[in-house]
Amino acid sequence: MPLKPIAGACAAFAVAALLWLLARAPETPPAPVADAGAGGRSAAAAAPNAASGLAANAHADPANEPAATRAAVAAASDAATRPLPDDAQWVELVVVDGASGAPVADAEVHWTDERSLTLLREAAPDDQWLAMPQLPIEALAARAGWRTRSDAQGRARVTLRTATRIAAQRGGRYGTLQLAGNTVLPPAGLRLPLQPDATLAVRVLDAVGAPAADVPVGIMTRNADDLPVGRYSLQVHARTGPDGMAAIPHVQLIAAEFVDGKQLTAWNKPPFTHCVRSCLPGLDGARAPIDLAAPPPQVELRLPAHGSVRVRTAFAGAPIPGVRTAWLAEPPEAAAAPASDHDRQLRNMANRPAVFDADGRARFAFVPLGRRWHVTTPDAGGLLAEVEGPMAHGQEVEATLAPDPARCVLRGRLFAAVGEPLRQATVRVFLRDEDPRGREATVATDGGGRFLAAIEPLADSDATATLAIDWRSEGAPLRRATLPERRLLAGLSDLGDVVLGEPPRLVSGRIERDGAPFAGPCKFEVQREPSPATPSPEPTPMPDVVGHVAKDGRFVVHGTFEPGTHSLVVRASDGTTSRPVRFQGGADGVVVALAGAHPLAARALLPDGAPAHFVAFELAALDPPPTESPGGPLRHRAEVRTKDDVNVRWTNVPTGRYELTARVLAQTTPALTIPDVLVPGPAEGDARLRELDLRRALRVLTLTLRDANGERLASADGLLVPTRAFAAAGGDERSAERIWSGEQSFALPPGPYDLTVCVAGYRPQPLRGDADRAEARLEPWPQAEVQLAAPPQLPAGCAAEVRLVATAADGAPFATSHGPAGLGGIARLADMWTPLVAGVARVRIGDGPHAVELALRGPNAPEGTFARVHLDGARPATIAWTGEPVVVTVPAAAWQAAIAAVTKSVTGAGGGK
C-alpha cells in the first residue's frame, strides 16, 4: 500500500510542535502605553557586550518545570546559550499588571525566534525529542532563546526577528506576546500585560491503580455539537513522570481562547465543555471534565486495561540501519467512522511515536486490547507492518518492520567526503525519470554512514533510470551524488560506497530588496526557455532545483545543468517575489531584485461597542497600476486587532501609491477614503493614519435572535444580508456578515437599515428599523410529509430514502469579514437524505419548488460505505409546501431495478450523494 500518507502523518507530529509554539501566544495584540523612552536597566541587561559579543542572561531557570519535562530536555541544554542574531533589531516593551496597568519591575522576560525550535530539535536525541510535550515559551527560551528582566519602570528590550515569541512572569502572574519581523510598533510603545497564572496537576493511574508514567495528557474543548474545537484540543500539553503526575502550565491561556468571542464562529458553537484527557490512541476516552474558568488544583485519569507492542526491523537477517522511529496508529479502515463519532477521528489523528533503542527495538506501552494496528516508520523509505494487538492486560506482542518484497531495496554507505562517513544524517534518495511519482525515499544513515531505502521499482524491467542522493544540512549548500543509469528491479540493489559532492550550479549571484542585500529564506523556480528549433513555445520547468542564500545575500542555485537561456523567479518566505530574470546556464553575478514590501499601520476610532473585525480596511493600488489580471486594482486587506485600541495593520505591501478605504456591511460607498497613501510612507509617518475617525460614519446594532417560543438562541449559523442583495438573482459577490451567536453586535452605516436575517434551520426573517437594539423571532422550516404509494417488500437491510432539493439557485456568493460564504444550507435547506419508515417520512422543506428524489439504500459494506441507487420515474417530480401530505408513486419496474442493483453486491460503489 502507498506509504506517503503514513510518512506524512508521522512528519506531522514534529510539525505539530512548531504549530503549537506559533499559536501559543494569545491573539490579543499589544496596546500602546505612554512613551517609556529607550533607556533603562533592561537595555543594559539584554544588550550584547561590545567586547565579548556574548548575550547576557542567556539561561532561564527551568527548576519549576515538571520533572518529566526537565528530563526530556536535559540533553538540549547545550543549545541554551545563543549568541544574539547578527541582524538583531531591538524593540522595547513595558511589562504591566493586567488588572491595574501598573508597570511590573523585575519580571523575567523570555523570548525565542524562528530558529529556536530547530536548534532544540538538533540538540535533543530522538527519544527525548519525541517525549517532549509542547514547551511553553519560557521553557524553549531557556534552551534555545534568551532572557532578561524588566527594570524599575517595567521596561525590557528584546530582539525582533521573523517570528518572535515573548513570555513574562512575576509573582504568580504570566503573559505572552507575539511579534512578526514586520510588526509595526505603536507610536507609544508595546506593553505586555500579566494575568494570574494557573497550573493544572494531572494524576494518571493504570488499570490496576498504579501510577502510569510517560502518559501524554492534554486539554480538549468541545462545542455544542460535541465537536473538538480550538487550537489546543489536539495537543499534548504534558507527560506524566514516574509518580504518574503531570503539570499542564498556563491553563489561563487555553481558557482565553473561549472568551471575547474569539471562538464564536459558525462551526464553534457555545456552550463549550472542557476536559483533561489521555492523548494515547485508543485510550483517549480516559477523561475528566473541568471548568476552565475555575480549574481544580488536580484531576485524576484512570486508564482501562492495556498491553504493549514491541517492534523490530529486519532485512537479510540483520536490523535495518538508520531506522530511528516507529509509529503506531489504527488502520484507516478501522478509524473510519460516522461523522458523529469524533472520538474515532481524534484517535486516528493521534499517531504514537517510539524510538528504537541500541538493540534495534522500539516499544509502545499502553496499547488498548483487542484491536488491530499499523506499525510504520518514515525511515528507510517507509515500512509498514500490521499487528494484532494485545488481548489481555499486560500482554506484549511483537511486530517486525521489513521492506515489501515487491520493492527495490537500495543499500549502501554514504560519505560526506573521501574517508568521512556521513553519520546520523537524513538524505533524500530519488529517481530521475519521466515519472517520479512514488520513486523517492527519505532515509537516515547510521553511525557508520550505512543506509537502506525501499522504493518502487521501475515498471519496465528493461528500463533504466538515474539515481540521485541529496543531503542538505542547516545553513549549508546542497550536497548530491548522481549515480549512473541502472535497472531498478524488485529485490536488493547494492550501491556500495557513495561520495557526495557539490552538484552543478545553474546560476549564482545576489538577492536585493530596496537596494540592500536580502538573506531571508527563499524558494527558487527555474524554467528553461525554448530554443527557436523547439516545437513547443512554452518554457519547461526544471525539476530538482535547490537554492541556498548566504547571510550577505549571495545565492547559488543547483540543478541539472543544461546550456541555453533560462528564467529565474525568487519567492521570499514573507510573500515578496521577483520578476523573472533571464540568464544563461552556469551564469554568475546575476542580480535578483525582490519587489519592495513594507508594513503599514493606522489607528482607528470606532463608536462604542462597534466590533472592529466587521470593519474592512483595504488598500487599493493606484501606482503602480492595477494588476494584469482582471478584477480591478490589487487590494490588500488589513489585519484588525483590538484590545484597548483598534490597530489596523498591513504587512508586506509592495512599494507604490494606494487609496485607503474603510467600509462595513450594507455600505455601497466607503465610510472613509484616504487618497494617495504612499508605501513606504514618509519617515515622520502619515499624520492622516494616526486617527481614522469612524465614530460618526458608523453605528452599532445589537441583534438578539429568538426561536418561535421566544427563547434566545444559544448559538447560530447564519448571515446578516442587505435585503437588496438577498433578493437579487445572480450577479457579482455581495456584502454580508456572519451570524454565530444568539446575541451579537454589528457595525452598520448610520441611518435606517433594511436587512434579512438568514439562520440555518429557520426561515429568512426581514429586519428593518432605526433602533440600536433589535430582535428577530425565527420560525423553523416546516416539515412536509412524504408518503410512498404501495411500496414493495424490501430485502433485509435495505431502506428507501427521500430528499427534497430546492430548484432555485443559491444566488451570488457573499463576502464577509470572516471569508466567503453562500446561502446554500443557510437561507435554503441542505438536501439531506431521510429514511422512510413504513413508507412515510417527514422532511424539512423551504420556500418555492423542490425536486423529489427517492433512492434505495443497500446493506452496509465492510468498509463502512453503502450502496445507494436512485429510483427513477418518481411522481410528482417537484412539490411545494402546502401543509398537505405528498403521495409519491414509483413505477414497479424502477423498484425492481433498484432492488436488483443494491442486492447484487454489498460492496458495490453506488454511493450516490
Side-chain angles (χ1 to χ4, degrees), residues 354-413:
V355 177
F356 285 89
D357 58 22
D359 296 329
R361 294 178 182 271
R363 184 175 182 270
F364 296 96
F366 307 111
V367 177
L369 304 182
R371 298 187 186 179
R372 187 163 54 92
W373 298 90
H374 274 177
V375 181
T376 63
T377 177
D379 301 319
L383 306 177
L384 166 69
E386 292 193 7
V387 59
E388 294 294 338
M391 302 301 294
H393 183 68
Q395 179 188 5
E396 183 168 271
V397 298
E398 186 170 279
T400 301
L401 290 169
D404 187 332
R407 290 198 152 206
C408 175
V409 179
L410 306 172
R411 184 172 63 186
R413 189 180 185 195

Short mmCIF file of all heavy atoms in Angstrom, two decimals, residues 354-413:
data_model
loop_
_atom_site.label_atom_id
_atom_site.label_comp_id
_atom_site.label_asym_id
_atom_site.label_seq_id
_atom_site.Cartn_x
_atom_site.Cartn_y
_atom_site.Cartn_z
N ALA A 354 7.59 6.08 18.86
CA ALA A 354 8.52 5.39 19.75
C ALA A 354 9.88 5.38 19.07
O ALA A 354 9.98 5.44 17.84
CB ALA A 354 8.05 3.96 20.05
N VAL A 355 10.94 5.31 19.85
CA VAL A 355 12.30 5.39 19.34
C VAL A 355 12.99 4.04 19.53
O VAL A 355 12.82 3.37 20.55
CB VAL A 355 13.09 6.49 20.08
CG1 VAL A 355 14.54 6.54 19.60
CG2 VAL A 355 12.41 7.84 19.86
N PHE A 356 13.74 3.62 18.51
CA PHE A 356 14.47 2.36 18.58
C PHE A 356 15.67 2.52 19.51
O PHE A 356 16.39 3.52 19.47
CB PHE A 356 14.95 1.94 17.19
CG PHE A 356 13.83 1.40 16.33
CD1 PHE A 356 13.08 2.24 15.53
CD2 PHE A 356 13.52 0.05 16.34
CE1 PHE A 356 12.06 1.76 14.75
CE2 PHE A 356 12.50 -0.45 15.57
CZ PHE A 356 11.75 0.40 14.77
N ASP A 357 15.87 1.50 20.36
CA ASP A 357 16.98 1.54 21.29
C ASP A 357 18.24 0.97 20.63
O ASP A 357 18.25 0.66 19.43
CB ASP A 357 16.64 0.78 22.58
CG ASP A 357 16.26 -0.67 22.32
OD1 ASP A 357 16.64 -1.22 21.26
OD2 ASP A 357 15.57 -1.27 23.17
N ALA A 358 19.31 0.81 21.43
CA ALA A 358 20.58 0.34 20.88
C ALA A 358 20.48 -1.08 20.34
O ALA A 358 21.28 -1.48 19.49
CB ALA A 358 21.66 0.42 21.97
N ASP A 359 19.49 -1.85 20.81
CA ASP A 359 19.31 -3.21 20.34
C ASP A 359 18.41 -3.28 19.11
O ASP A 359 18.06 -4.38 18.66
CB ASP A 359 18.71 -4.09 21.45
CG ASP A 359 19.66 -4.22 22.64
OD1 ASP A 359 20.88 -4.19 22.40
OD2 ASP A 359 19.17 -4.33 23.77
N GLY A 360 18.00 -2.12 18.58
CA GLY A 360 17.16 -2.11 17.38
C GLY A 360 15.71 -2.43 17.65
O GLY A 360 15.02 -2.96 16.76
N ARG A 361 15.20 -2.10 18.82
CA ARG A 361 13.80 -2.38 19.15
C ARG A 361 13.15 -1.11 19.69
O ARG A 361 13.79 -0.29 20.35
CB ARG A 361 13.69 -3.51 20.18
CG ARG A 361 14.15 -4.86 19.65
CD ARG A 361 14.07 -5.95 20.71
NE ARG A 361 14.56 -7.22 20.19
CZ ARG A 361 13.82 -8.13 19.56
NH1 ARG A 361 12.54 -7.90 19.38
NH2 ARG A 361 14.35 -9.25 19.13
N ALA A 362 11.86 -1.00 19.40
CA ALA A 362 11.04 0.11 19.93
C ALA A 362 9.84 -0.50 20.63
O ALA A 362 9.34 -1.56 20.24
CB ALA A 362 10.60 1.04 18.81
N ARG A 363 9.33 0.19 21.65
CA ARG A 363 8.23 -0.37 22.44
C ARG A 363 7.13 0.66 22.62
O ARG A 363 7.39 1.83 22.94
CB ARG A 363 8.73 -0.83 23.81
CG ARG A 363 7.67 -1.51 24.67
CD ARG A 363 8.29 -2.04 25.95
NE ARG A 363 7.31 -2.75 26.76
CZ ARG A 363 6.53 -2.18 27.68
NH1 ARG A 363 6.64 -0.86 27.91
NH2 ARG A 363 5.67 -2.89 28.38
N PHE A 364 5.90 0.21 22.41
CA PHE A 364 4.72 1.04 22.66
C PHE A 364 4.01 0.48 23.88
O PHE A 364 3.54 -0.67 23.87
CB PHE A 364 3.75 1.01 21.47
CG PHE A 364 4.31 1.61 20.21
CD1 PHE A 364 4.89 0.80 19.25
CD2 PHE A 364 4.27 2.97 20.00
CE1 PHE A 364 5.42 1.35 18.09
CE2 PHE A 364 4.79 3.53 18.84
CZ PHE A 364 5.37 2.71 17.89
N ALA A 365 3.93 1.27 24.94
CA ALA A 365 3.19 0.89 26.13
C ALA A 365 1.75 1.41 26.01
O ALA A 365 1.43 2.21 25.13
CB ALA A 365 3.86 1.43 27.38
N PHE A 366 0.90 0.96 26.89
CA PHE A 366 -0.49 1.44 26.98
C PHE A 366 -1.22 1.27 25.64
O PHE A 366 -1.79 2.23 25.11
CB PHE A 366 -0.54 2.90 27.43
CG PHE A 366 0.22 3.17 28.69
CD1 PHE A 366 1.39 3.93 28.67
CD2 PHE A 366 -0.21 2.67 29.90
CE1 PHE A 366 2.10 4.19 29.83
CE2 PHE A 366 0.50 2.92 31.07
CZ PHE A 366 1.65 3.68 31.04
N VAL A 367 -1.21 0.07 25.10
CA VAL A 367 -1.92 -0.22 23.85
C VAL A 367 -3.25 -0.86 24.19
O VAL A 367 -3.29 -1.85 24.94
CB VAL A 367 -1.08 -1.15 22.96
CG1 VAL A 367 -1.86 -1.52 21.69
CG2 VAL A 367 0.25 -0.50 22.61
N PRO A 368 -4.39 -0.33 23.69
CA PRO A 368 -5.69 -0.92 24.01
C PRO A 368 -5.79 -2.38 23.58
O PRO A 368 -5.08 -2.83 22.68
CB PRO A 368 -6.67 -0.04 23.21
CG PRO A 368 -5.93 1.22 22.96
CD PRO A 368 -4.50 0.85 22.84
N LEU A 369 -6.67 -3.10 24.22
CA LEU A 369 -6.82 -4.53 23.96
C LEU A 369 -7.76 -4.79 22.79
O LEU A 369 -8.67 -4.00 22.51
CB LEU A 369 -7.36 -5.23 25.21
CG LEU A 369 -6.55 -5.05 26.50
CD1 LEU A 369 -7.19 -5.85 27.64
CD2 LEU A 369 -5.11 -5.44 26.31
N GLY A 370 -7.49 -5.90 22.10
CA GLY A 370 -8.42 -6.42 21.11
C GLY A 370 -8.54 -5.61 19.85
O GLY A 370 -9.61 -5.60 19.23
N ARG A 371 -7.47 -4.95 19.41
CA ARG A 371 -7.53 -4.15 18.19
C ARG A 371 -6.37 -4.50 17.27
O ARG A 371 -5.34 -5.03 17.71
CB ARG A 371 -7.49 -2.66 18.49
CG ARG A 371 -8.66 -2.20 19.33
CD ARG A 371 -8.66 -0.69 19.47
NE ARG A 371 -9.68 -0.24 20.38
CZ ARG A 371 -9.88 1.03 20.71
NH1 ARG A 371 -9.12 1.97 20.18
NH2 ARG A 371 -10.83 1.36 21.56
N ARG A 372 -6.56 -4.20 15.99
CA ARG A 372 -5.51 -4.37 15.01
C ARG A 372 -4.84 -3.03 14.78
O ARG A 372 -5.50 -1.98 14.79
CB ARG A 372 -6.12 -4.90 13.70
CG ARG A 372 -5.10 -5.28 12.63
CD ARG A 372 -5.77 -6.18 11.57
NE ARG A 372 -6.95 -5.55 11.04
CZ ARG A 372 -6.97 -4.77 9.94
NH1 ARG A 372 -5.84 -4.56 9.28
NH2 ARG A 372 -8.09 -4.24 9.51
N TRP A 373 -3.50 -3.05 14.53
CA TRP A 373 -2.74 -1.82 14.46
C TRP A 373 -1.84 -1.80 13.24
O TRP A 373 -1.44 -2.85 12.74
CB TRP A 373 -1.88 -1.64 15.72
CG TRP A 373 -2.68 -1.55 16.97
CD1 TRP A 373 -3.07 -2.57 17.77
CD2 TRP A 373 -3.23 -0.35 17.54
NE1 TRP A 373 -3.83 -2.11 18.82
CE2 TRP A 373 -3.94 -0.75 18.70
CE3 TRP A 373 -3.20 0.99 17.20
CZ2 TRP A 373 -4.60 0.17 19.51
CZ3 TRP A 373 -3.86 1.90 18.01
CH2 TRP A 373 -4.55 1.49 19.14
N HIS A 374 -1.54 -0.59 12.78
CA HIS A 374 -0.49 -0.37 11.80
C HIS A 374 0.74 0.14 12.53
O HIS A 374 0.66 1.12 13.29
CB HIS A 374 -0.92 0.68 10.77
CG HIS A 374 -1.68 0.11 9.63
ND1 HIS A 374 -2.22 0.89 8.63
CD2 HIS A 374 -2.01 -1.17 9.32
CE1 HIS A 374 -2.84 0.12 7.75
NE2 HIS A 374 -2.73 -1.12 8.15
N VAL A 375 1.86 -0.49 12.31
CA VAL A 375 3.15 -0.02 12.79
C VAL A 375 3.93 0.45 11.58
O VAL A 375 4.08 -0.30 10.60
CB VAL A 375 3.92 -1.11 13.55
CG1 VAL A 375 5.25 -0.55 14.04
CG2 VAL A 375 3.10 -1.64 14.70
N THR A 376 4.41 1.68 11.60
CA THR A 376 5.10 2.24 10.44
C THR A 376 6.37 2.94 10.89
O THR A 376 6.56 3.25 12.06
CB THR A 376 4.22 3.27 9.71
OG1 THR A 376 3.96 4.37 10.59
CG2 THR A 376 2.90 2.67 9.26
N THR A 377 7.24 3.20 9.92
CA THR A 377 8.37 4.09 10.12
C THR A 377 8.55 4.91 8.86
O THR A 377 8.40 4.38 7.74
CB THR A 377 9.67 3.33 10.44
OG1 THR A 377 10.74 4.28 10.54
CG2 THR A 377 10.01 2.32 9.37
N PRO A 378 8.83 6.21 8.99
CA PRO A 378 9.10 7.01 7.79
C PRO A 378 10.52 6.79 7.27
O PRO A 378 10.84 7.19 6.16
CB PRO A 378 8.92 8.45 8.29
CG PRO A 378 9.27 8.38 9.74
CD PRO A 378 8.82 7.03 10.21
N ASP A 379 11.37 6.15 8.09
CA ASP A 379 12.75 5.89 7.67
C ASP A 379 12.78 4.73 6.67
O ASP A 379 11.81 3.99 6.51
CB ASP A 379 13.61 5.56 8.89
CG ASP A 379 13.60 6.70 9.91
OD1 ASP A 379 13.67 7.86 9.49
OD2 ASP A 379 13.52 6.42 11.12
N ALA A 380 13.93 4.59 6.01
CA ALA A 380 14.15 3.51 5.04
C ALA A 380 13.14 3.55 3.90
O ALA A 380 12.82 2.52 3.31
CB ALA A 380 14.13 2.15 5.73
N GLY A 381 12.61 4.73 3.61
CA GLY A 381 11.65 4.84 2.53
C GLY A 381 10.23 4.53 2.93
O GLY A 381 9.32 4.56 2.10
N GLY A 382 10.00 4.22 4.20
CA GLY A 382 8.67 3.92 4.67
C GLY A 382 8.41 2.43 4.72
O GLY A 382 8.41 1.74 3.70
N LEU A 383 8.21 1.90 5.92
CA LEU A 383 7.93 0.47 6.12
C LEU A 383 6.63 0.35 6.90
O LEU A 383 6.29 1.21 7.72
CB LEU A 383 9.07 -0.20 6.90
CG LEU A 383 10.48 -0.05 6.33
CD1 LEU A 383 11.49 -0.71 7.26
CD2 LEU A 383 10.57 -0.63 4.93
N LEU A 384 5.91 -0.73 6.65
CA LEU A 384 4.60 -0.93 7.27
C LEU A 384 4.46 -2.38 7.70
O LEU A 384 4.85 -3.30 6.98
CB LEU A 384 3.49 -0.58 6.28
CG LEU A 384 2.07 -1.03 6.65
CD1 LEU A 384 1.56 -0.24 7.85
CD2 LEU A 384 1.12 -0.84 5.46
N ALA A 385 3.89 -2.56 8.89
CA ALA A 385 3.53 -3.89 9.37
C ALA A 385 2.17 -3.80 10.04
O ALA A 385 1.85 -2.78 10.68
CB ALA A 385 4.57 -4.43 10.34
N GLU A 386 1.36 -4.84 9.89
CA GLU A 386 0.09 -4.92 10.59
C GLU A 386 0.23 -5.93 11.71
O GLU A 386 0.85 -6.98 11.54
CB GLU A 386 -1.04 -5.33 9.64
CG GLU A 386 -1.37 -4.27 8.61
CD GLU A 386 -2.67 -4.55 7.89
OE1 GLU A 386 -3.37 -5.51 8.30
OE2 GLU A 386 -2.99 -3.83 6.94
N VAL A 387 -0.34 -5.62 12.86
CA VAL A 387 -0.20 -6.49 14.01
C VAL A 387 -1.51 -6.54 14.77
O VAL A 387 -2.19 -5.51 14.91
CB VAL A 387 0.96 -6.01 14.93
CG1 VAL A 387 0.71 -4.59 15.43
CG2 VAL A 387 1.16 -6.95 16.10
N GLU A 388 -1.87 -7.74 15.21
CA GLU A 388 -3.00 -7.88 16.13
C GLU A 388 -2.51 -7.51 17.51
O GLU A 388 -1.54 -8.07 18.02
CB GLU A 388 -3.52 -9.31 16.12
CG GLU A 388 -4.14 -9.74 14.79
CD GLU A 388 -5.42 -8.96 14.48
OE1 GLU A 388 -6.04 -8.44 15.43
OE2 GLU A 388 -5.79 -8.88 13.29
N GLY A 389 -3.17 -6.54 18.12
CA GLY A 389 -2.71 -6.03 19.40
C GLY A 389 -2.92 -7.00 20.54
O GLY A 389 -3.45 -8.11 20.36
N PRO A 390 -2.49 -6.62 21.73
CA PRO A 390 -2.65 -7.49 22.90
C PRO A 390 -4.12 -7.77 23.19
O PRO A 390 -4.99 -6.94 22.91
CB PRO A 390 -1.98 -6.70 24.03
CG PRO A 390 -2.01 -5.27 23.55
CD PRO A 390 -1.89 -5.32 22.07
N MET A 391 -4.37 -8.95 23.77
CA MET A 391 -5.74 -9.37 24.08
C MET A 391 -6.02 -9.37 25.58
O MET A 391 -7.17 -9.41 25.99
CB MET A 391 -5.98 -10.77 23.52
CG MET A 391 -5.76 -10.88 22.01
SD MET A 391 -6.84 -9.78 21.05
CE MET A 391 -8.44 -10.48 21.42
N ALA A 392 -4.95 -9.37 26.39
CA ALA A 392 -5.13 -9.40 27.84
C ALA A 392 -4.27 -8.33 28.47
O ALA A 392 -3.22 -7.94 27.93
CB ALA A 392 -4.76 -10.78 28.40
N HIS A 393 -4.69 -7.86 29.63
CA HIS A 393 -3.94 -6.81 30.33
C HIS A 393 -2.52 -7.29 30.62
O HIS A 393 -2.30 -8.38 31.15
CB HIS A 393 -4.65 -6.43 31.62
CG HIS A 393 -3.96 -5.31 32.35
ND1 HIS A 393 -3.91 -4.03 31.87
CD2 HIS A 393 -3.27 -5.29 33.53
CE1 HIS A 393 -3.24 -3.25 32.71
NE2 HIS A 393 -2.84 -4.01 33.72
N GLY A 394 -1.54 -6.47 30.26
CA GLY A 394 -0.16 -6.79 30.49
C GLY A 394 0.51 -7.59 29.40
O GLY A 394 1.74 -7.77 29.42
N GLN A 395 -0.26 -8.08 28.42
CA GLN A 395 0.33 -8.88 27.34
C GLN A 395 1.14 -7.99 26.40
O GLN A 395 0.75 -6.86 26.09
CB GLN A 395 -0.75 -9.61 26.55
CG GLN A 395 -0.22 -10.46 25.40
CD GLN A 395 -1.33 -11.02 24.52
OE1 GLN A 395 -2.50 -10.72 24.72
NE2 GLN A 395 -0.97 -11.83 23.55
N GLU A 396 2.28 -8.50 25.89
CA GLU A 396 3.09 -7.80 24.91
C GLU A 396 3.17 -8.62 23.63
O GLU A 396 3.45 -9.82 23.69
CB GLU A 396 4.49 -7.52 25.44
CG GLU A 396 5.35 -6.72 24.49
CD GLU A 396 6.63 -6.20 25.14
OE1 GLU A 396 6.58 -5.10 25.72
OE2 GLU A 396 7.64 -6.92 25.09
N VAL A 397 2.93 -7.99 22.50
CA VAL A 397 3.04 -8.66 21.21
C VAL A 397 4.17 -8.00 20.42
O VAL A 397 4.60 -6.89 20.73
CB VAL A 397 1.72 -8.59 20.41
CG1 VAL A 397 0.61 -9.30 21.16
CG2 VAL A 397 1.33 -7.14 20.14
N GLU A 398 4.65 -8.71 19.40
CA GLU A 398 5.79 -8.22 18.63
C GLU A 398 5.41 -8.01 17.18
O GLU A 398 4.64 -8.79 16.61
CB GLU A 398 6.97 -9.18 18.73
CG GLU A 398 8.24 -8.64 18.06
CD GLU A 398 9.47 -9.48 18.36
OE1 GLU A 398 10.05 -9.31 19.44
OE2 GLU A 398 9.83 -10.30 17.49
N ALA A 399 5.97 -6.95 16.56
CA ALA A 399 5.78 -6.66 15.14
C ALA A 399 7.16 -6.48 14.51
O ALA A 399 8.08 -5.97 15.16
CB ALA A 399 4.94 -5.41 14.95
N THR A 400 7.28 -6.89 13.26
CA THR A 400 8.54 -6.76 12.53
C THR A 400 8.33 -5.88 11.31
O THR A 400 7.43 -6.13 10.50
CB THR A 400 9.07 -8.13 12.09
OG1 THR A 400 9.26 -8.95 13.24
CG2 THR A 400 10.38 -7.99 11.34
N LEU A 401 9.14 -4.86 11.19
CA LEU A 401 9.12 -3.97 10.03
C LEU A 401 10.19 -4.44 9.05
O LEU A 401 11.37 -4.55 9.40
CB LEU A 401 9.41 -2.53 10.44
CG LEU A 401 8.30 -1.81 11.24
CD1 LEU A 401 8.82 -0.49 11.79
CD2 LEU A 401 7.09 -1.58 10.37
N ALA A 402 9.76 -4.74 7.82
CA ALA A 402 10.69 -5.21 6.79
C ALA A 402 10.24 -4.65 5.46
O ALA A 402 9.05 -4.35 5.26
CB ALA A 402 10.71 -6.74 6.76
N PRO A 403 11.15 -4.46 4.51
CA PRO A 403 10.76 -3.95 3.19
C PRO A 403 9.79 -4.89 2.48
O PRO A 403 9.87 -6.12 2.62
CB PRO A 403 12.09 -3.86 2.44
CG PRO A 403 13.14 -3.83 3.50
CD PRO A 403 12.60 -4.65 4.62
N ASP A 404 8.89 -4.32 1.72
CA ASP A 404 7.97 -5.09 0.88
C ASP A 404 8.80 -5.82 -0.18
O ASP A 404 9.62 -5.20 -0.87
CB ASP A 404 6.97 -4.13 0.23
CG ASP A 404 5.88 -4.86 -0.53
OD1 ASP A 404 6.12 -5.98 -1.01
OD2 ASP A 404 4.78 -4.29 -0.67
N PRO A 405 8.61 -7.15 -0.34
CA PRO A 405 9.38 -7.88 -1.36
C PRO A 405 9.19 -7.34 -2.77
O PRO A 405 10.05 -7.55 -3.63
CB PRO A 405 8.87 -9.31 -1.24
CG PRO A 405 8.28 -9.40 0.14
CD PRO A 405 7.75 -8.04 0.44
N ALA A 406 8.09 -6.62 -3.01
CA ALA A 406 7.85 -6.08 -4.35
C ALA A 406 8.59 -4.78 -4.58
O ALA A 406 8.51 -4.22 -5.69
CB ALA A 406 6.35 -5.88 -4.56
N ARG A 407 9.31 -4.28 -3.59
CA ARG A 407 10.04 -3.01 -3.74
C ARG A 407 11.50 -3.26 -4.06
O ARG A 407 12.05 -4.33 -3.79
CB ARG A 407 9.91 -2.16 -2.48
CG ARG A 407 8.50 -1.61 -2.28
CD ARG A 407 8.50 -0.46 -1.32
NE ARG A 407 7.40 0.45 -1.59
CZ ARG A 407 7.40 1.74 -1.29
NH1 ARG A 407 8.46 2.27 -0.71
NH2 ARG A 407 6.38 2.49 -1.57
N CYS A 408 12.11 -2.23 -4.60
CA CYS A 408 13.55 -2.25 -4.85
C CYS A 408 14.24 -1.74 -3.59
O CYS A 408 13.97 -0.62 -3.13
CB CYS A 408 13.89 -1.37 -6.04
SG CYS A 408 15.66 -1.20 -6.34
N VAL A 409 15.12 -2.54 -3.03
CA VAL A 409 15.81 -2.19 -1.79
C VAL A 409 17.22 -1.74 -2.14
O VAL A 409 18.04 -2.51 -2.64
CB VAL A 409 15.84 -3.38 -0.82
CG1 VAL A 409 16.58 -2.99 0.46
CG2 VAL A 409 14.42 -3.83 -0.49
N LEU A 410 17.50 -0.46 -1.88
CA LEU A 410 18.82 0.12 -2.13
C LEU A 410 19.62 0.10 -0.84
O LEU A 410 19.14 0.56 0.21
CB LEU A 410 18.67 1.55 -2.65
CG LEU A 410 17.77 1.74 -3.88
CD1 LEU A 410 17.58 3.22 -4.15
CD2 LEU A 410 18.37 1.05 -5.09
N ARG A 411 20.83 -0.40 -0.94
CA ARG A 411 21.68 -0.47 0.24
C ARG A 411 23.05 0.11 -0.09
O ARG A 411 23.56 -0.09 -1.20
CB ARG A 411 21.82 -1.91 0.72
CG ARG A 411 22.62 -2.07 2.01
CD ARG A 411 22.56 -3.49 2.52
NE ARG A 411 23.16 -4.44 1.58
CZ ARG A 411 23.14 -5.78 1.75
NH1 ARG A 411 22.51 -6.30 2.79
NH2 ARG A 411 23.73 -6.56 0.87
N GLY A 412 23.64 0.86 0.85
CA GLY A 412 24.94 1.43 0.59
C GLY A 412 25.49 2.15 1.78
O GLY A 412 24.95 2.08 2.89
N ARG A 413 26.59 2.88 1.54
CA ARG A 413 27.25 3.65 2.59
C ARG A 413 27.60 5.01 2.01
O ARG A 413 28.17 5.10 0.92
CB ARG A 413 28.51 2.92 3.07
CG ARG A 413 29.15 3.53 4.30
CD ARG A 413 30.38 2.74 4.69
NE ARG A 413 30.95 3.21 5.94
CZ ARG A 413 32.16 2.91 6.37
NH1 ARG A 413 32.95 2.13 5.62
NH2 ARG A 413 32.61 3.37 7.52
#
